[in-house]
């Protein structure tokens, strides 16, 4: 959680990463159960907030954890981004579910994952290794002030309207907009600095 | 090759959050193919998504959900990771994200002197239309206006307008109010991926004659 001290953040992240690794390497059921207990109820909340019914949200949360089990070997423990990795699984399932509502039942809905695989093109100066990007991202995020991170989180990931954010944080609307702009610019410059 | 023009950070955040429509997603994904810096921004945003998820209040799972899951794991002895399917479409155009290879292919169509268009048909209805645009050296882009947001990603060649010079990997983003005089200034064809919301309207008499041809 963002409100926790950095130490807790790091140790939590390291713990989730270890659990996923245990699932990948040893097919460790206890590690999986720990992941399930923590993440499934939160993914369920995420799905409900996106408009899923109680039952659908429950199913999607289960699907997400099943994907954690099946794909654990694809997780890079060095990235320490366990929550980020599980978030991407939940995000893709949410997109799939929204598409199923729009499409005919026979159409293929398993494309989302491919759409988010970032292809690294054969361009001369694009040869930055994924692990290098991870390290850069980690450093940048730890240098980004909490209040800036919070406003990015609220605006894009909770899809909270700016006026609503202003009320929640008890700051003027103009400050929300400027803080958001500042946060994004700061993040990009931090990422640039580490390159 | 260095990328000079990037998508606004808001678009990268929405990409990471999964809230862009598919057409816009393709526009941003195409830029990411050639831009490690923006890939890092997206990755950072996914970490913010992870923090968001961890910080959500839990909703109790249905009774016996974990036990049911454990039975399911028993039945699934070996889970294989599905292979990445790649079709043959658009293989001749370098710089596109791989997943477009599984879309239906389409041929280049003449739409104006020295300008060809190749639609990318999306597997779902989207408010954003996506197409490739190929213009010969020295061409001025047809004067047009559109009612929504437009993303242009340069795949090869280059163009120039009041906003600067746009080469491979560069991302141009405009709303309907921007009226650019776009000129192709490379010695080779300039191929762009365009993701466009709303209706495209060609201006002038020639434009009106071409209008029926451009419908996709």
């Amino acid at each position: 959680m963002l409100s926790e001290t950095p130490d807790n953040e790091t140790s939590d992240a390291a713990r989730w990463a270890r659990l996923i690794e245990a699932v990948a390497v040893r097919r460790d059921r206890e590690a999986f159960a720990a992941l399930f207990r923590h993440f499934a109820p939160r993914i369920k909340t995420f799905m409900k907030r996106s408009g899923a019914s109680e039952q659908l949200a429950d199913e999607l949360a289960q699907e997400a954890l099943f994907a954690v089990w099946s794909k654990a070997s694809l997780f890079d423990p060095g990235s320490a981004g366990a929550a980020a990795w599980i978030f991407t699984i939940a995000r893709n399932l949410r997109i799939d579910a929204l598409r199923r509502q729009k499409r005919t039942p026979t159409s293929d809905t398993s494309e989302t994952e491919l759409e988010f695989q970032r292809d690294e093109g054969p361009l001369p100066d694009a040869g930055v290794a994924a692990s290098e990007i991870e390290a850069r991202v980690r450093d940048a995020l730890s240098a980004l002030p909490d209040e800036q991170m919070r406003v990015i989180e609220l605006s894009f990931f909770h899809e909270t309207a700016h006026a609503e954010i202003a009320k929640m944080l008890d700051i003027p609307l103009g400050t929300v907009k400027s803080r958001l702009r500042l946060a994004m610019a700061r993040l990009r410059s931090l990422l640039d600095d580490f390159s | 090759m260095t990328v000079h023009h990037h998508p606004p950070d808001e678009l990268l955040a929405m990409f990471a959050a999964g809230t862009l429509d598919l057409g816009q997603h393709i526009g941003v994904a195409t830029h990411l193919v050639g831009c490690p810096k923006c890939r890092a921004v997206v990755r950072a945003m996914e970490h913010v998504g992870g923090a968001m998820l961890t910080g959500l209040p839990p909703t109790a799972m249905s009774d016996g959900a974990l036990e049911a899951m454990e039975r399911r794991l028993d039945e699934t002895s070996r889970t294989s990771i599905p292979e990445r399917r790649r079709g043959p479409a658009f293989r001749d155009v370098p710089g596109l994200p791989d997943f477009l290879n599984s879309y239906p292919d389409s041929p280049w169509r003449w739409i104006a002197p020295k300008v060809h268009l190749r639609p990318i048909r999306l597997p779902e209805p989207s408010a954003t239309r996506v197409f490739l645009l190929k213009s010969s050296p020295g061409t001025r882009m047809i004067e047009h206006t559109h009612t929504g947001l437009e993303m242009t990603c340069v795949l090869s060649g280059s163009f120039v307008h009041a906003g600067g010079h746009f080469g491979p990997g560069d991302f141009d983003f405009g709303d309907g109010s921007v009226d650019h005089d776009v000129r192709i200034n490379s010695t080779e064809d300039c191929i762009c991926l365009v993701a466009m919301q709303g209706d495209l309207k060609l201006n002038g008499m020639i434009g009106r004659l071409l209008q029926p041809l451009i419908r996709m």
Side-chain angles (χ1 to χ4, degrees), chain B residues 30-89:
Chain B
T30 303
H31 174 76
L32 293 177
V33 172
C35 187
K37 283 187 176 178
C38 287
R39 282 205 292 274
V41 174
V42 168
R43 192 73 195 111
M45 290 300 155
E46 287 174 346
H47 280 257
V48 178
M52 176 277 298
L53 186 61
T54 319
L56 284 176
T59 305
M61 293 294 287
S62 53
D63 286 344
L66 177 56
E67 292 71 22
M69 179 64 64
E70 282 169 337
R71 281 195 299 280
R72 188 172 162 192
L73 302 186
D74 287 334
E75 290 155 17
T76 329
S77 51
R78 283 236 169 269
T79 24
S80 56
I81 297 142
E83 244 180 67
R84 220 171 146 162
R85 285 163 299 149
R86 281 191 68 187

Side-chain angles (χ1 to χ4, degrees), chain A residues 29 45 58 99 119 125 134, chain B residues 1 43 57 59 74 98 124:
Chain A
R29 287 298 185 88
T45 305
D58 203 272
R99 286 183 180 172
D119 313 305
D125 67 348
E134 282 300 337
Chain B
M1 185 218 75
R43 192 73 195 111
T59 305
D74 287 334
D98 279 352
E124 65 173 41

Side-chain angles (χ1 to χ4, degrees), chain A residues 1-2 16 27 29 32-33 36-46 48-49 54 58 61-63 65-66 69-71 73-74 79-81 83-88 90-91 94-95 99 102-103 108 110-111 114-121 123-126 128 133-134 136-137 141 149 152-153 156-159 181 184-185 187-188 191-192 195, chain B residues 1-3 6-19 22 25 29 32-62 65-66 68-85 95-99 102-103 123-126 168-169:
Chain A
M1 252 171 82
L2 294 176
W16 303 133
R27 309 265 76 185
R29 287 298 185 88
F32 177 77
F36 189 99
R37 285 192 203 97
H38 182 77
F39 283 103
R42 287 170 173 82
I43 294 172
K44 185 169 174 180
T45 305
F46 173 65
K48 283 182 78 171
R49 288 192 178 180
E54 172 77 22
D58 203 272
Q62 295 191 44
E63 274 320 303
L65 269 295
F66 185 70
W69 173 266
S70 325
K71 294 175 182 152
S73 61
L74 298 178
S79 73
W85 183 66
I86 294 177
F87 164 73
T88 61
R91 170 197 66 194
R94 181 179 73 162
I95 295 172
R99 286 183 180 172
K102 283 203 289 184
R103 291 184 190 181
D108 187 3
S110 60
E111 288 293 318
L114 293 176
E115 287 162 13
F116 275 98
Q117 277 177 354
R118 278 186 284 287
D119 313 305
E120 308 198 5
L123 298 160
D125 67 348
V128 182
I133 289 186
E134 282 300 337
R136 206 189 291 177
V137 164
L141 285 174
M149 182 109 151
I152 294 179
E153 186 188 318
F156 296 108
F157 292 88
H158 293 286
E159 294 178 64
R181 248 196 326 271
M184 303 293 279
L187 186 63
R188 188 178 275 276
L191 287 167
D192 282 352
S195 63
Chain B
M1 185 218 75
T2 315
V3 178
H6 302 276
D9 290 327
E10 291 75 19
L11 277 183
L12 297 175
M14 289 168 76
F15 179 93
T19 50
L22 179 56
H25 178 97
L32 293 177
V33 172
C35 187
K37 283 187 176 178
C38 287
R39 282 205 292 274
V41 174
V42 168
R43 192 73 195 111
M45 290 300 155
E46 287 174 346
H47 280 257
V48 178
M52 176 277 298
L53 186 61
T54 319
L56 284 176
T59 305
M61 293 294 287
S62 53
L66 177 56
M69 179 64 64
E70 282 169 337
R71 281 195 299 280
R72 188 172 162 192
L73 302 186
D74 287 334
E75 290 155 17
T76 329
S77 51
R78 283 236 169 269
T79 24
S80 56
I81 297 142
E83 244 180 67
R84 220 171 146 162
R85 285 163 299 149
L96 291 174
D98 279 352
F99 66 86
S102 59
Y103 284 21
E124 65 173 41
S126 170

